[in-house]
Amino acid sequence: MQDVIVYLGPSLSIEKAKRILPESVAEYRPPVKRGDLAVAVAKRPKAICIIDGLFFQDCSVGHREIMAALKSKIYVYGSSSMGALRACELDSFGMVGVGRIYEMYRDGIIESDDEVALACDPFSNEAVSDALVDMRINFERAVRGGVITGDERDILIRTASGIYYPNRTYRRVLKDARTAGEISGESFERLTRFLKEHPFSQKEEDAREVLRVVGDGV
């Protein structure tokens, strides 16, 4: 049996994850939901790593489930999405949070579950919308790169926040802001090109980081 059980979904592909933490060490399972951890704890792994989880379409993993794992002397790590949320809530009890998104929740920069929510294809588990927290970070990168202004960043974040998460995509956000006349045509074109030429996902970066941290610890 592997030392680590990893709950992983759209934040990082399984193929990329295995290059960091191979299957000889980690067993990869779909996004965690209520009841899954009791089964995992019964297998007595050294560590459980929560990256992705269900929380709108199904019951989310409960705090008591994670506490039960910790009381069983199993290390529990969280990052990227559901893992970052739960780590922020339970780090004082021993759950280990990893990555920038966890730090943003911990420091009160973001608060809502909606920040990391995505809609996924039920068959491939691939994301079909974009996470608000990734948009925040990419719009900030665009400001630093001189692509858009700080005021335009604020408008785009406000526009994205007003769109229900399954419908929230970069394309939709930019189109709505442009149609409302809140960003210029030049900014629309520059930002569209920037996002295409410089794709970045903090959720993916944090997933990579937690797998490296877990690998160093087992």
Side-chain angles (χ1 to χ4, degrees), residues 100-121:
R100 184 177 177 186
I101 295 172
Y102 157 71
E103 293 170 355
M104 291 172 76
Y105 275 119
R106 181 196 62 192
D107 297 342
I109 297 170
I110 57 174
E111 296 180 348
S112 173
D113 295 4
D114 178 61
E115 291 278 347
V116 293
L118 291 171
C120 295
D121 183 305

Side-chain angles (χ1 to χ4, degrees), residues 17-65:
K18 290 177 181 175
R19 289 185 210 129
I20 303 169
L21 200 61
E23 282 186 291
S24 58
V25 177
E27 176 186 342
Y28 289 93
R29 297 186 179 184
V32 69
K33 63 181 184 303
R34 184 74 54 87
D36 286 348
L37 286 199
V39 178
V41 168
K43 299 190 73 171
R44 302 296 307 164
K46 290 182 180 177
I48 293 172
C49 181
I50 299 174
I51 296 175
D52 291 303
L54 305 180
F55 53 97
F56 286 111
Q57 64 273 53
D58 211 324
C59 291
S60 59
V61 61
H63 300 79
R64 290 185 178 181
E65 295 177 83

Side-chain angles (χ1 to χ4, degrees), residues 114-121 126-136 138-139 155-179 183 188 191-192 195-196 200:
D114 178 61
E115 291 278 347
V116 293
L118 291 171
C120 295
D121 183 305
E126 294 180 355
V128 295
S129 64
D130 296 304
L132 179 55
V133 69
D134 273 345
M135 290 186 173
R136 287 183 185 276
N138 274 313
F139 294 154
I155 288 168
L156 289 164
I157 292 174
R158 186 174 68 244
T159 301
S161 300
I163 298 172
Y164 188 42
Y165 80 93
N167 304 319
R168 186 184 294 139
T169 63
Y170 287 105
R171 181 186 178 91
R172 169 75 184 275
V173 171
L174 267 66
K175 180 182 177 183
D176 284 6
R178 178 67 190 123
T179 300
I183 62 170
F188 176 90
L191 184 54
T192 299
L195 293 170
K196 181 178 180 180
F200 178 81

